[in-house]
Amino acid sequence: RLRASNVGDLIYVAILRFSDDVKLMTCPGSDGAKFASADAWSRYAATFDYLQDVEPGLTNLRLAIQRSRELIHDIIFDSDLANDLADSWRAMIVLVTDGNHNIRRPDGRPEGDRNVIEEIEDIDTGSEKLIDGKIAVGCVGIGSDLNMNLLSKIASPCTTDQLDNAAKMGVAKYLEN
């Protein structure tokens, strides 16, 4: 649909794979760029392997959110276009996960859902508050052991337009708001 809508060149995507650690996946043919257009990613959809070079482990949602925010910050605010983009940019973090945050601190104590929620609460800070609500978080729950409670708490609320579009597409029943 992005290719057919003529906006595939205007939407830029970065993919971070996460388990115990978080690793940036670069789009084939992008010369190692951190972000590539949705159109560029779609050319590789048939051969896309999210699990390539990933060592199975635990799920570190807090670190995935933190690194996503840092990546957005580095690209938006450390570029020559920072002043031009300051008012016009928007970003979205989409987590595809079962929502089970399974990680231990260096002292051996487990982190809990509260640690993930605190990372979300901090997402609009930094860069002298320039972020201020411009990063939304979406969650796609996968697996048979979903932590819907946590995913619902960390996902940004749907806008009226998003709810209307979901209803038109017949997928509103899948949204948790």
Side-chain angles (χ1 to χ4, degrees):
R1 290 193 174 197
L2 282 173
R3 282 186 277 171
S5 70
N6 297 322
V7 297
D9 285 340
L10 304 174
I11 298 172
Y12 281 79
V13 176
I15 297 178
L16 299 172
R17 299 177 291 196
F18 63 98
S19 58
D20 295 359
D21 196 9
V22 179
K23 297 179 181 178
L24 178 68
M25 181 176 193
T26 56
C27 179
S30 69
D31 294 325
K34 293 179 180 178
F35 283 82
S37 71
D39 188 48
W41 278 104
S42 70
R43 288 192 289 272
Y44 298 97
T47 59
F48 181 78
D49 182 4
Y50 177 80
L51 297 176
Q52 177 185 346
D53 300 326
V54 171
E55 292 185 31
L58 302 173
T59 302
N60 194 338
L61 288 170
R62 181 197 47 75
L63 187 61
I65 294 163
Q66 176 188 334
R67 295 270 173 84
S68 297
R69 180 179 62 163
E70 290 168 356
L71 179 63
I72 293 166
H73 178 275
D74 289 350
I75 295 298
I76 299 294
F77 297 106
D78 291 345
S79 73
D80 294 335
L81 301 173
N83 289 332
D84 295 337
L85 291 173
D87 293 328
S88 62
W89 70 276
R90 299 290 180 272
M92 175 133 201
I93 297 169
V94 179
L95 298 168
V96 180
T97 178
D98 63 7
N100 292 304
H101 180 68
N102 300 308
I103 210 72
R104 293 197 174 275
R105 294 183 175 108
D107 66 6
R109 292 182 303 134
E111 286 190 5
D113 290 358
R114 185 73 216 146
N115 298 100
V116 178
I117 293 166
E118 287 170 356
E119 191 65 42
I120 290 293
E121 290 170 350
D122 289 344
I123 208 162
D124 286 335
T125 62
S127 303
E128 299 171 17
K129 297 279 188 180
L130 287 176
I131 293 175
D132 196 26
K134 294 183 179 184
I135 299 176
V137 177
C139 297
V140 177
I142 58 170
S144 59
D145 185 29
L146 291 175
N147 183 347
M148 285 301 292
N149 184 46
L150 179 60
L151 294 179
S152 297
K153 286 179 181 175
I154 63 176
S156 301
C158 293
T159 65
T160 303
D161 286 343
Q162 290 168 332
L163 291 171
D164 290 346
N165 286 335
K168 289 176 190 172
M169 299 296 294
V171 296
K173 64 184 176 187
Y174 300 111
L175 297 179
E176 181 109 2
N177 205 10

